[in-house]
Amino acid sequence: MKFFVDTAEIDAIAELNDLGMVDGVTTNPSLIMKSGRDIIEVTREISAMVDGPVSAEVVATKAEDMIAEGRKLAEIGENIAVKVPLTWDGLKTCKVLSGEGKMVNVTLCFSANQALLAAKAGATFISPFVGRLDDVNIDGMDLINDIRVIYDNYAYDTEILVASIRTVNHITDSARIGADVITAPPEVIKKLASHPLTDKGLEAFMKDWAKTGQKIL
Ligand code: G3P
């Protein structure tokens, strides 16, 4: 399963990238706002740092304008995936840009039928938002399961990119289901390394080691 980092914070991406944990990056207008950076400048920096796909989202709502914005964003680098919302205009944009050979990430997906439309429009990635479904008492992971079954039934090659991840369990469940990609905030990815028994075990080893009076270096 590929790990994308859901942030526009350069330092956080660099730390995980140096560890080989970054297969791509996703951004959205809210994350650009949080970074305080210019969208073109920060996307260019991320695109140069990371080998994999870097999603940059259009903000127009009419297909014609979305297509123009998408073409401009795609000029930033070969690894840019143009992110479009799952609206009728977004699907039209997806069809045109994917027809031009650009990667397209269709975002704000909340139903299996929306995911089906995105695949038919040639999306490279579909981004179902699990956390926001959980927020309204709908199990987000059920949607991932449904999309996996539907895409496999018809051998669609659109990749399932699980988004709006809030917990480490969302990542475990995504891997169990066989999602292609997860995108998560850096702090959630770092939490994957934590286990209380690891901390407890290490503390015991350190206490015993101190009793030996030895040094390795
Ligand atoms: O990739 C989409 C993601 O950023 C949305 O996450 O936590 O705002 O629902 P969240």
Side-chain angles (χ1 to χ4, degrees):
M1 188 172 66
K2 286 177 267 191
F3 277 18
F4 288 4
V5 194
D6 198 27
T7 186
E9 304 297 332
I10 292 287
D11 291 350
I13 297 167
E15 185 190 4
L16 290 168
N17 197 40
D18 289 348
L19 270 173
M21 297 288 176
V22 179
D23 300 304
V25 172
T26 50
T27 65
N28 62 36
S30 303
L31 294 171
I32 296 292
M33 183 272 293
K34 269 192 211 157
S35 76
R37 300 281 312 275
D38 172 83
I39 183 171
I40 302 294
E41 280 175 23
V42 75
T43 305
R44 185 171 289 122
E45 269 181 54
I46 298 169
S47 155
M49 182 196 301
V50 169
D51 290 334
V54 174
S55 290
E57 189 160 342
V58 301
V59 290
T61 51
K62 295 267 179 300
E64 194 187 329
D65 303 326
M66 291 164 110
I67 292 165
E69 286 183 354
R71 285 179 180 145
K72 181 169 177 184
L73 292 170
E75 276 171 14
I76 293 172
E78 297 246 308
N79 58 347
I80 296 296
V82 178
K83 208 170 175 190
V84 302
L86 211 155
T87 58
W88 204 246
D89 284 79
L91 291 169
K92 286 182 189 168
T93 305
C94 176
K95 181 74 183 157
V96 171
L97 295 181
S98 61
E100 292 173 359
K102 297 174 175 59
M103 287 189 284
V104 181
N105 176 358
V106 179
T107 188
L108 288 167
C109 169
F110 294 95
S111 79
N113 285 336
Q114 288 182 317
L116 189 50
L117 289 175
K120 290 183 77 67
T124 316
F125 302 104
I126 182 67
S127 289
F129 276 32
V130 292
R132 292 191 196 184
L133 281 169
D134 290 352
D135 288 345
V136 295
N137 278 334
I138 296 170
D139 189 341
M141 298 317 300
D142 284 349
L143 174 59
I144 304 307
N145 215 10
D146 285 349
I147 300 173
R148 181 74 282 158
V149 169
I150 290 167
Y151 280 10
D152 288 350
N153 279 349
Y154 299 99
Y156 287 122
D157 53 16
T158 298
E159 294 189 36
I160 303 173
L161 194 175
V162 184
S164 184
I165 280 186
R166 309 269 174 78
T167 69
V168 289
N169 288 344
H170 280 147
I171 299 179
T172 319
D173 292 343
S174 298
R176 262 198 205 113
I177 291 169
D180 302 283
V181 193
I182 58 93
T183 189
E187 55 277 14
V188 176
I189 292 177
K190 288 171 88 171
K191 269 192 202 150
L192 292 172
S194 301
H195 198 289
L197 290 179
T198 305
D199 297 341
K200 198 175 161 194
L202 185 59
E203 200 185 323
F205 285 159
M206 292 304 99
K207 271 191 190 146
D208 289 343
W209 180 247
K211 288 177 201 158
T212 70
Q214 298 180 45
K215 286 199 164 120
I216 294 175
L217 290 176

